Every structure is written in structure tokens, then in C-alpha cells.
Amino acid sequence: MSLPSPVQIKEANAHLVAVHRRVAELEQRLEAAENTVREQAESLIRKDEQLRAATQSITEAKDREIAYLHEKLCKSEETIQKFQNMMKEKDSLIGQLRHRCQLLDNICKSRPLLDSMLSHMAEAERLGPVVGTTESISLSLTDGESNCSPSRIGNHKDFSLSEDDMDDQELDDIVFGTTV
């Protein structure tokens, strides 16, 4: 084997220096790339932590709002139930008051008849007892068979019902009073 010539050695040395420089350059680039990758990984980890914290915060806020709205819904449903119960009570009261109003209307319609009857009764009282009569006449008016008994009103020839009274005969059996 022959020894390399000085030119070959110089070329080989120059080639080794170039390779060494290239390796150093590649190592620097590799290190820079590793640093970049490490920084990006750290940045992604930080962003991931921030996103998790933000997600957790949003989830907690959402849960609080859901709990608040659920509580508000329950209170609203209770209020609605109270109002519905009050409405039922008011409707019942309105029904009772309508019935009483109808009774009062019927009484007011009958007032002229009652006024006339009262004026006739007052006139009869002013006249006083009939002179020369006995007690048997006054007893006959209170013995339960008078012409004014409810069972005989419709059959009595001196008493007549108006058309309004004929329409409202179903109210004759109504008992006046208060309801609780």
C-alpha cells in the first residue's frame, strides 16, 4: 500500500473539516429544532391547561346557572299552583255571587208586587178589626188553611203570578242564607 500523497491528505483533511462543519451545523439545527419542538410542546401543554381551566370554569358556571334556573322553575311552578288554587277559589266565589246576584235581581223584579202587597197590608191594619165579628174569624186566618199558604197560591183565584214570576218558579224552592 502506498502512502497517500500530500495533496490527497490535504483534500482528505479539507473533506473531514467540511464534514465536521456540516455535522456541527446539522447538530445546531437539530438542537434548534429540538428547542422549537420543546417550546411548542410546553406551549401546547400550557394552552391545554388553560383550556381545561376555562372548560372547568364554564362547566361550573353552567352548573350554577342550571341550579339557579331549576330553583327558579320550582318557585314558578309553586306560584302557578298557588294562583291556580286561588283561581279555583275565586271561580267558586264568583259562582256563589252570581247565584246571589240572580236572587237579588229576582227580588228587585218582585219589588213592585211586594210594595203593593205591603201597602194593602198597611191599609188593612189602618182599618182595624171589623166591628161585630167574633174570635172565630181571626182564628180561621191562622189555622194553617189560609189563602196565602204556598200550596194554595197557584190555585187561589185572587192571586195571580206575572209572566216573570212564572218563569222563575224554580227559584221558589231556594233557601236564602250564607254559604261558607
Side-chain angles (χ1 to χ4, degrees):
M1 286 218 193
S2 78
L3 284 171
S5 71
V7 173
Q8 287 178 331
I9 294 175
K10 262 187 179 181
E11 286 178 2
N13 283 340
H15 181 67
L16 283 175
V17 169
V19 169
H20 190 39
R21 227 181 291 137
R22 178 76 178 142
V23 168
E25 181 185 321
L26 289 176
E27 284 178 349
Q28 282 180 342
R29 288 177 69 189
L30 176 64
E31 187 177 333
E34 286 176 348
N35 286 339
T36 302
V37 168
R38 190 177 311 114
E39 288 173 3
Q40 287 177 349
E42 289 172 359
S43 174
L44 288 174
I45 290 171
R46 280 193 306 273
K47 285 183 181 180
D48 186 50
E49 289 172 356
Q50 290 172 350
L51 290 175
R52 283 185 190 190
T55 303
Q56 181 67 26
S57 173
I58 290 170
T59 302
E60 289 172 359
K62 174 197 62 129
D63 291 342
R64 282 192 305 271
E65 187 171 355
I66 287 173
Y68 168 76
L69 291 174
H70 181 57
E71 182 180 333
K72 194 172 181 180
L73 176 66
C74 289
K75 286 181 181 178
S76 296
E77 287 174 348
E78 288 175 10
T79 303
I80 288 170
Q81 188 63 38
K82 287 178 187 176
F83 283 145
Q84 286 176 338
N85 290 338
M86 279 177 33
M87 239 173 52
K88 286 178 185 177
E89 290 174 8
K90 298 289 182 183
D91 286 345
S92 173
L93 180 61
I94 287 171
Q96 293 173 9
L97 292 175
R98 276 192 181 135
H99 179 70
R100 288 179 183 215
C101 183
Q102 185 180 16
L103 292 175
L104 288 173
D105 283 345
N106 291 334
I107 289 170
C108 288
K109 287 178 186 175
S110 302
R111 183 165 178 199
L113 179 63
L114 292 173
D115 287 343
S116 173
M117 186 170 53
L118 287 174
S119 70
H120 291 305
M121 289 173 67
E123 184 180 344
E125 283 182 4
R126 276 194 310 267
L127 292 175
V130 178
V131 180
T133 60
T134 62
E135 249 182 71
S136 65
I137 292 175
S138 64
L139 287 176
S140 70
L141 293 176
T142 58
D143 63 0
E145 291 295 325
S146 74
N147 290 336
C148 293
S149 69
S151 63
R152 298 189 60 194
I153 286 177
N155 297 334
H156 195 272
K157 63 182 177 191
D158 293 333
F159 184 85
S160 64
L161 293 174
S162 69
E163 288 181 22
D164 290 338
D165 293 334
M166 294 295 272
D167 292 338
D168 296 332
Q169 279 186 342
E170 70 271 358
L171 297 176
D172 290 344
D173 296 332
I174 295 174
V175 177
F176 289 92
T178 59
T179 57
V180 181

